[in-house]
Amino acid sequence: MAIPTNIKTLLSGDVVEWARIEFKETWDAEASLKSVCAFANDLDNWGGGYIVIGVEENEGQPVYPLKGVPVDKIDAYQKSILSKCKLIRPAYMPIVEVVDYENKKFIVLWCPGGDSRPYSSPKTMTKDNKERIHYIRKMSSTVEPSNDEEKDLFNLANRIPFDDRVNHQAEMSDLNITLIQNYLKEVKSSLYEKSKTGDFVEVCSDMNIISNLPEYTKPKNVGLMFFSMEPDKFFPYTQIDVVQFPDGLGGNNIIEQTFKGPIQQQLRDALQYIRNTIITEKVVKHPERAEADRFFNYPFAAIEEALSNAVYHRAYDEREPIEVRVENDRIEILSFPGPDRSVTIEGLKSYRVSNRRYRNRRIGDFLKELHLTEGRNTGFKKILDALEANGSPKPEFETDEAHSYFITRLFVHEGFNSVDKDVRQKEPKRSQKGAEKELKKGNERKQAIMDLLIANPTMTQRQLREQLNLTRKQIQTDMKELQEEGILMREGSNRKGHWVIINRN
């Protein structure tokens, strides 16, 4: 079997965080088995981890020159790894690969989070030892859990993350070998060569994107999200909607673009579209000096990180797309639901965020391998740094008490304004006939909304959207305009109230 990344990437620490990697000069059965157990338990849903044998470490980082594993010890180490890992309960076996790097040999153990948590391993290797411990990872260390941490670990037994679950409605034919090969080639995995000539199911098993039961081979959700041509077939509204309001929220001119397909592709396509149609550079020359001031309406790096984080952290079992709203003075990136409970509203306001647990550990691993997102808790800093370097205002991060949604709000550089000629030149030209047709559609939608609300005043915006087959943005815009025009009003609370038609023309 082969690991889904390469040893050079592991040694760099750029993609897989140091806390998820242990370097061992030799195979130490007692210490390493505890780390295998801890990675398998994956208490914080980081995605498990790696043990690299043949590398001396200093404070968690590799020491150069690399030593490697003597060739005459490779076989003995592998046999010991196999026998010792059988002591883990319930049964768990890491994926082991012998790799060549810089003319030396290394053994890499990939220990993804297991499906049968919690796992335990012997406290010692003595023959009379009967004590077993549910080891966990804390930062870069393998430790015994506290009572509360052990309770959390047992609670996780029935909470396999959605992206790591087997999809019983899918078939192996739903996974596209070309997409898999493109990914493996891009991340320079040794699995790439095997994927060209080897067994397809074995390759998918090595990547941990299918169930491991030989009698029941089905794709996992993460495999379908990245390596299916139509992931929305299994996860409706898995898409990114980029909605522009050139005339403001009250205007009739709305430009909407939807990006579907494998989630890494829709992310790249949406970012390319934003770069080409929305990002604008401005050059301000000064008579008293030769250097001109250059800045963008929005720094692309900030948008890239914010949108990548939305793809990383959204819930794919909720039928809500990621929405990028582009107004004259801001860009808002909306996703559902909100962040983990460890992220507080006060922390978001002060930009002090330390997310303890991650909703989509496997999605995060793949995105990091593709360099589409950063390591843990680094996204906020990257956004802030990009905005500061561009001279842009500070962002806003918003959620509610129920953590039901998350908004990243980026404001336009003060050198641009809502009527800036350079910005308007970016807007696609639209014919008068097309504008009239769109306006007519808007009136027809409003009429249909009022008809439904007269029949059932308690309908929610989601119910209206599903009934009329509209996007969330269309419903939100039409409802807002109906209220501003004095035709529609809300009585009572959002949960128990109802709609009232005041003046229907």
Side-chain angles (χ1 to χ4, degrees), residues 123-139:
K123 187 170 185 178
T124 69
M125 290 294 173
T126 59
K127 291 184 178 179
D128 58 347
N129 172 72
K130 295 184 179 180
E131 187 176 2
R132 303 183 66 85
I133 305 294
H134 296 101
Y135 290 99
I136 63 171
R137 294 289 287 185
K138 267 194 173 180
M139 303 299 290

Side-chain angles (χ1 to χ4, degrees), residues 343-392:
V343 176
T344 65
I345 294 177
E346 293 73 19
L348 290 174
K349 291 180 179 178
S350 61
Y351 311 123
R352 295 183 179 275
V353 174
S354 180
N355 194 3
R356 184 184 173 194
R357 293 183 182 162
Y358 288 80
R359 183 174 291 116
N360 300 310
R361 60 182 187 179
R362 299 296 311 285
I363 289 175
D365 284 345
F366 281 113
L367 291 176
K368 290 171 192 173
E369 288 283 358
L370 294 168
H371 299 284
L372 289 172
T373 191
E374 298 288 322
R376 297 193 311 277
N377 297 322
T378 59
F380 277 67
K381 186 178 186 304
K382 184 173 181 179
I383 292 171
L384 291 169
D385 288 348
L387 292 170
E388 182 178 359
N390 190 59
S392 298

